[in-house]
Amino acid sequence: MAELGIVIPAAGQGKRMGAEGNKQFLSLRGQPILVHTVRVFQMSDCVSEIVIVGAENDLALIKDLVIRYKLDKVARICQGGVQRQDSVRLGVLALSSTIQRVVVHDGARPLLTLKDFHRFLQAAEGFTAATMGIQVKDTIKQINDFGCVTDTLPRERLRAVQTPQIFERQTLEAAHLRAASNGYYGTDDASLLEWMGYPVQVIEGSQENIKVTTPEDLWLAERILTMRET
C-alpha cells in the first residue's frame, strides 16, 4: 500500500464561532477540538505521518497539544498561509518525500470515526481524487443578484462535500502549484483537480461528520459524542 500522509489545515480563526482565537482549541468533551480531529489518524495503521498547519501565533500551543496527548505521528507543524488553500499547499509540501497519497481533513471536523475513515480509504482505492459527501436534505434553489430564483436544482444529483479528501500526492502538488501561479482559488482541494480536468469521485460520508463552525455546531458535536458513549 502506498504511504499515506495527512494534512490538517488548522489556521482558521473561526469568526462565526464568536470566540476569541482559534476555534479548534475550544473544548469538546474536555479536550480541544483539534485533538479529537488528529486522534483518529493517530489511531489508524494506514497513516504514516501527519502534518498540522496552524497560524503563526498558535504553533507553540499546537506543539504542546501534540506532546501532551502523545500524537507522535505528527511529523511537522508548519505555519499556514493567507487562505486555507495556501495552508494546504504548504502542508503538502512539508510531507516526507516517501508519501504517495495525501488526505486533507479540516481541523474543525472532529467527529470522523476510524471505521468511516477506513471505509473511505477502501472505497477511494484506484481513484486519483476522492471526497466524502452526503446527499442534501433540503431543496436547493439558484438565485440571481437580486435574490430571485432562477433554477431549482435536482436534489438527487447534489452532494454536500465533506472532508476527508484523498489525492495522489504528485497530482495534488501540481494542482496547488499551478493554482498558486495563476492566482486561482477553489472552494476546496477537490475543486483544484476539477479545475485541471481530473475526475473527482464522491464517496458517501456521514451525517455526524460535521464541521464545527458555530456555537450550535459545538453543542451538536457534544451531543453526538455523548450518544456514542451510551
Side-chain angles (χ1 to χ4, degrees), residues 77-97:
I77 300 165
C78 60
Q79 184 176 331
V82 177
Q83 302 287 340
R84 178 187 185 278
Q85 183 172 308
D86 301 314
S87 294
V88 173
R89 182 181 70 253
L90 293 168
V92 173
L93 293 173
L95 288 165
S96 298
S97 60

Side-chain angles (χ1 to χ4, degrees), residues 81-147:
V82 177
Q83 302 287 340
R84 178 187 185 278
Q85 183 172 308
D86 301 314
S87 294
V88 173
R89 182 181 70 253
L90 293 168
V92 173
L93 293 173
L95 288 165
S96 298
S97 60
T98 54
I99 297 298
Q100 299 163 281
R101 298 270 281 174
V102 179
V103 165
V104 180
H105 187 66
D106 299 322
R109 205 177 284 270
L111 301 182
L112 177 68
T113 66
L114 191 61
K115 180 180 179 180
D116 280 341
F117 177 52
H118 287 166
R119 174 180 58 82
F120 172 73
L121 291 182
Q122 185 175 20
E125 286 185 12
F127 293 109
T128 299
T131 180
M132 270 194 177
I134 55 174
Q135 189 166 354
V136 298
K137 298 178 180 179
D138 299 320
T139 297
I140 307 296
K141 293 185 181 290
Q142 183 173 304
I143 62 172
N144 61 19
D145 291 340
F146 305 100

Side-chain angles (χ1 to χ4, degrees), residues 208-228:
E208 293 185 356
N209 183 26
I210 65 170
K211 187 175 183 181
V212 179
T213 304
T214 66
E216 292 78 15
D217 295 331
L218 185 58
W219 178 90
L220 179 57
E222 292 272 2
R223 302 287 80 74
I224 291 171
L225 289 180
T226 299
M227 286 188 297
R228 287 179 183 177

